[in-house]
Amino acid sequence: MVYVAIPVALLCLSCLPAALAHARVTNPPIRTPGAAFKLACGETSFNAVSGDPTGHIEEQEPVNAGCDLTLCRGMLFSDQPAKNVLTVQASQAMAMNVDCTIPHGGPANVSLIDTTAGGSGAFIGSFLSTFDDFCPTTEPAPANQTNLQYTLPDAATIGNKCQTPGDCVVQLFWATPDFSQNYYYCIDVVMAAVESTTPAAAPATTPAAPATTPAAPATTPAASAGNAPAAPSKMLTSVTGNLAAATGQAAPTSKTSSNAGRRRARILWF
Ligand SMILES: *[C@@H]1O[C@H](CO)[C@@H](O)[C@H](O)[C@H]1NC(C)=O
Ligand SMILES: *[C@@H]1O[C@H](CO)[C@@H](O)[C@H](O)[C@H]1NC(C)=O
C-alpha cells in the first residue's frame, strides 16, 4: 500500500504546475522532455517544459545554440518511449483531443513535419487542419478543436518519408498574437511499412489490403474518435504477418506466430 501511495504523490506533484496551463493535447501522447532534450536545450528550457507541459516556447529562454524551439519545443525523439510512436498509414483519418485550459485565441494549424530536414523541419504536403481562432476567448472551444479531426497526406505526398520512427511528427502549432506566445505540440508517427518491406514475391497479396483499408478510416473517427488507427493497424498487421510467412524469413513457425501476435497486441494497444 505504501508503494502505491508514493508514486501517486509524485504524480500529483508534477500535475500541480498544470494550473498554469494554456492548452494541452491530452490524447494521443505528445513528446515529453528528457535527458537528451535537457542536454540540447539547457536546464532553463528543461525546467520550463517539465514544470508546464502546456507552456509556450518564450518561457523556455534562454536556450543553447542548436536547440530548435520551433520544432516540438526542442523536444527530441530519443527521449520518447517507443510505445508513444503511432504507426499510421497515408490518408489515415486521425484525431487529437485538446484541453483548452486557458483560452487565448489566435491561429493554429496541424501539419505533418519531416524532422530530418533540420531546423524547424519541413512541411509534408499542406496543412491538415487550420483554425483562425483556436481556444477562443469569446466562447467555449468548439467541438472540432477539443476533438480535432484531420487526415494524413496521401501516399504520393508522403513518398518514402516517415519510414523510420523519429523522422516525422504531427505538430499542432498555435500562436496567440494577443499574448505573443507560440505553442508547439508533437505526436511521433511512423508509416506502416507494407510496400517498402515487400521484396518481389508479395505483389499478389499487396493489392488486396488497400482495397479494403480506406473503408475503415472513413467510418472510424465518426464512431469513436481517438480509436481511428485500430482498424487499419489490424489490417496491416495481418498483411505483414502474411508477408513474413510468404518470404519464409522466420524459420520456426511458432516464433513467427508469436511475433505476429506481439505485433498485433502492440499495435492494437494504440
Ligand atoms: C470548426 O467548426 C466551426 C463551427 O463551430 C466551423 O466554422 C469551422 O470551419 C470548423 N473548422 C474546422 C477546421 O473544421
Ligand atoms: C498556422 O499557424 C500559425 C501559428 O498560429 C500562424 O502563424 C499561421 O498563419 C497559420 N497558417 C495557416 C495557413 O493557418
Side-chain angles (χ1 to χ4, degrees):
M1 284 306 141
V2 172
Y3 290 109
V4 172
I6 290 171
V8 167
L10 290 174
L11 274 177
C12 285
L13 279 181
S14 69
C15 285
L16 283 178
L20 306 169
H22 307 270
R24 182 172 202 170
V25 175
T26 56
N27 185 61
I30 55 172
R31 278 198 184 180
T32 51
F37 166 70
K38 189 174 183 177
L39 195 64
C41 293
E43 186 129 18
T44 306
S45 189
F46 176 81
N47 290 340
V49 177
S50 304
D52 185 2
T54 68
H56 48 97
I57 61 171
E58 288 74 18
E59 65 188 6
Q60 292 177 235
E61 303 283 354
V63 296
N64 298 343
C67 167
D68 292 308
L69 289 184
T70 56
L71 177 65
C72 308
R73 306 178 70 186
M75 286 185 275
L76 299 171
F77 173 71
S78 55
D79 287 327
Q80 311 312 312
K83 68 178 171 60
N84 284 4
V85 181
L86 298 189
T87 300
V88 299
Q89 291 176 294
S91 301
Q92 181 172 320
M94 306 275 290
M96 70 172 83
N97 295 113
V98 177
D99 183 359
C100 293
T101 315
I102 303 179
H104 289 315
N109 36 62
V110 176
S111 41
L112 181 63
I113 305 280
D114 176 1
T115 68
T116 69
S120 302
F123 290 97
I124 299 175
S126 45
F127 290 111
L128 309 180
S129 189
T130 62
F131 298 91
D132 295 334
D133 196 15
F134 195 72
C135 291
T137 55
T138 50
E139 56 177 348
N144 63 8
Q145 296 183 10
T146 55
N147 181 10
L148 202 167
Q149 310 277 327
Y150 61 96
T151 302
L152 291 174
D154 62 20
T157 304
I158 297 175
N160 62 6
K161 299 190 174 87
C162 311
Q163 300 290 317
T164 304
D167 282 2
C168 291
V169 292
V170 169
Q171 183 169 261
L172 169 63
F173 174 31
W174 177 35
T176 64
D178 294 350
F179 297 86
S180 300
Q181 296 171 351
N182 291 278
Y183 299 85
Y184 297 83
Y185 304 100
C186 284
I187 298 158
D188 278 289
V189 294
V190 65
M191 287 296 136
V194 175
E195 270 129 334
S196 67
T197 56
T198 306
T205 55
T206 310
T212 51
T213 306
T219 52
T220 310
S224 61
N227 287 340
S233 297
K234 188 176 182 181
M235 171 64 66
L236 204 88
T237 304
S238 65
V239 171
T240 310
N242 290 343
L243 293 182
T247 51
Q249 300 219 332
T253 314
S254 60
K255 192 180 175 192
T256 303
S257 59
S258 97
N259 281 345
R262 207 176 304 135
R263 262 199 307 277
R264 184 174 301 112
R266 184 171 63 81
I267 291 173
L268 283 177
W269 198 83
F270 295 124

